[in-house]
Amino acid sequence: MLFNLFSIPTYDIGIDLGTANTRIGIRNRGVLFTEPSVVAINKNTKEVLAVGSSAKEMLGRTPSNISAIRPLKDGVIVDFEITEAMISYFLKKSREKLNSPNMISKPRVLVGVPSSITEVEKQAVLDATLSAGARESFVIKEPMAAAIGEDMPINEPIGNMLVDIGGGTTDIVVISLGEILVDKTIKIAGDEMDEHIVAYIKDKYQMLIGRRTAEQVKINIGSAFPIGKDSEYRLYGRDLNNGMPKAIKVKSSEIREAITQPIKAITESVKDALEDTPPELISDIYSRGILITGGGSNIVGIDKLWEGILKVPIRKAKKPLYSVLFGTLKALGDIVTLRKLKEDERKLI
């Protein structure tokens, strides 16, 4: 039976491939889902047992033959095969969400990656996406995607500064005329804050908590600047003195103290980026301000802290967790942007 190839349903997928979480969307349809960037495997057989939320539930709770791992570290692939399996799972889930599990056509996929990614790492993302079932794949630097997602006038001859605080990395960029002119990426972000909280609780209370617990207390009462009344949060962990379960109450001021070092490191990098910005663009930034996005921008008071230190207006993205994803979906509909991305990829060969 003959059929019209042009009648086959097709779709474009945007992926924000994060160290902590991966967000998936469909062009012209919006956000599909968010899943943790975690894969559970059988260490003996290398079989993938779970991906995403179900795999994250296994972190720290698996028997010796099962390992729940993050295949990305600091925003880059550290295990190609596991990343390929994860992306393949996400593409399959996308088809199911579209109620088209047997869709014949393969999607065109645009993946947001950290701006510090090397050419080898960039090629690994492209290869993993194609191996996972994409008919065509592109990559875009996350801060550029975030700027597009937040409708910044990046193609105009003015300075646009954006700070994207993710899970594994913080990207700091200045963009003008469609190009990143200042690009600083540090491997200090949300995960580093969690580790500092774990260490703080261990040192002060002689209690061991997991990184998931640290992340929860950061989300609930974490702050970078004292705003309002000091709030409390109950933590559960293991007493290091006797090995027994233990519960304590911590204050937001304590969590603020715990994450002071990573917040300070990010602040210093923002200052360095401002110092490296061409004089012609620095006045734009001081008048227009700095846009902050990513999960770390939700830390209470970080905007007030930076305004006091940098003397620059700070604006928070409306939906900071989705800025990169929204940017990939917009870029998928812009043929000029896609052509430029494809030209950049040809330079890898």
Side-chain angles (χ1 to χ4, degrees):
M1 181 181 294
L2 298 176
F3 59 92
N4 186 351
L5 287 174
F6 295 101
S7 68
I8 298 176
T10 186
Y11 57 113
D12 295 336
I13 293 180
I15 300 179
D16 175 8
L17 189 64
T19 302
N21 295 286
T22 295
R23 295 175 177 85
I24 309 288
I26 303 290
R27 185 168 70 91
N28 296 329
R29 302 198 187 196
V31 180
L32 270 187
F33 58 86
T34 299
E35 288 271 17
S37 303
V38 181
V39 179
I41 63 169
N42 184 312
K43 290 192 290 187
N44 298 328
T45 65
K46 304 301 181 183
E47 177 189 2
V48 174
L49 304 176
V51 178
S53 298
S54 55
K56 185 175 181 179
E57 290 298 318
M58 298 181 182
L59 281 172
R61 301 176 179 176
T62 59
S64 59
N65 67 316
I66 297 176
S67 177
I69 61 173
R70 287 178 171 181
L72 293 99
K73 181 176 175 59
D74 299 329
V76 298
I77 293 176
V78 294
D79 190 311
F80 179 84
E81 292 183 359
I82 299 301
T83 302
E84 180 184 330
M86 184 176 74
I87 294 175
S88 180
Y89 167 84
F90 290 148
L91 294 184
K92 179 182 178 182
K93 184 172 180 177
S94 300
R95 291 194 296 271
E96 293 171 349
K97 286 280 186 179
L98 290 170
N99 295 318
S100 303
N102 297 317
M103 185 176 281
I104 298 175
S105 67
K106 294 182 177 181
R108 184 172 55 168
V109 179
L110 175 57
V111 185
V113 296
S115 60
S116 63
I117 194 170
T118 66
E119 301 305 320
V120 172
E121 292 162 346
K122 189 185 296 183
Q123 190 63 57
V125 173
L126 292 168
D127 292 343
T129 307
L130 290 170
S131 298
R135 81 171 187 273
E136 193 174 13
S137 67
F138 309 86
V139 292
I140 184 172
K141 291 182 177 181
E142 287 174 350
M144 180 65 81
I148 293 172
E150 293 297 325
D151 294 319
M152 297 182 79
I154 59 173
N155 291 315
E156 297 180 17
I158 57 177
N160 300 274
M161 189 169 188
L162 179 142
V163 180
D164 181 6
I165 310 172
T169 61
T170 295
D171 289 321
I172 306 161
V173 297
V174 175
I175 305 172
S176 182
L177 290 173
E179 298 289 340
I180 295 178
L181 303 181
V182 177
D183 187 351
K184 286 188 177 296
T185 298
I186 58 172
K187 295 178 180 180
I188 300 174
D191 289 350
E192 185 85 0
M193 296 180 202
D194 298 343
E195 291 172 4
H196 275 73
I197 293 172
V198 171
Y200 181 90
I201 299 301
K202 181 180 179 181
D203 291 341
K204 184 169 183 177
Y205 292 100
Q206 295 298 296
M207 188 175 92
L208 184 64
I209 62 172
R211 285 181 55 177
R212 289 182 59 198
T213 301
E215 180 184 25
Q216 286 304 310
V217 70
K218 177 188 68 179
I219 291 171
N220 281 276
I221 63 170
S223 64
F225 191 83
I227 296 178
K229 185 180 178 181
D230 213 8
S231 53
E232 292 185 334
Y233 188 87
R234 182 175 290 274
L235 283 179
Y236 299 91
R238 186 172 76 241
D239 192 318
L240 291 173
N241 295 315
N242 56 29
M244 299 299 291
K246 183 177 180 179
I248 61 170
K249 282 186 178 180
V250 294
K251 296 180 178 180
S252 55
S253 56
E254 293 178 289
I255 302 306
R256 183 165 61 250
E257 181 183 348
I259 63 176
T260 294
Q261 187 174 332
I263 291 290
K264 183 179 179 180
I266 295 171
T267 305
E268 289 300 316
S269 293
V270 175
K271 290 171 66 176
D272 291 343
L274 283 170
E275 292 174 1
D276 291 344
T277 300
E280 295 81 4
L281 302 179
I282 199 72
S283 60
D284 296 330
I285 295 170
Y286 272 88
S287 61
R288 293 171 49 79
I290 300 172
L291 180 68
I292 57 174
T293 186
S297 69
N298 286 324
I299 297 291
V300 173
I302 194 168
D303 51 342
K304 300 299 180 185
L305 177 70
W306 285 358
E307 284 179 345
I309 296 174
L310 305 174
K311 310 302 180 184
V312 180
I314 304 296
R315 297 177 291 119
K316 286 190 176 184
K318 293 179 180 178
K319 293 186 177 180
L321 295 176
Y322 294 96
S323 300
V324 172
L325 180 61
F326 291 158
T328 65
L329 299 180
K330 289 180 181 179
L332 280 165
D334 185 345
I335 190 64
V336 175
T337 299
L338 287 180
R339 282 175 178 168
K340 185 177 185 304
L341 293 174
K342 183 56 69 176
E343 289 173 3
D344 291 343
E345 288 166 19
R346 291 194 185 103
K347 296 176 184 177
L348 302 180
I349 303 174

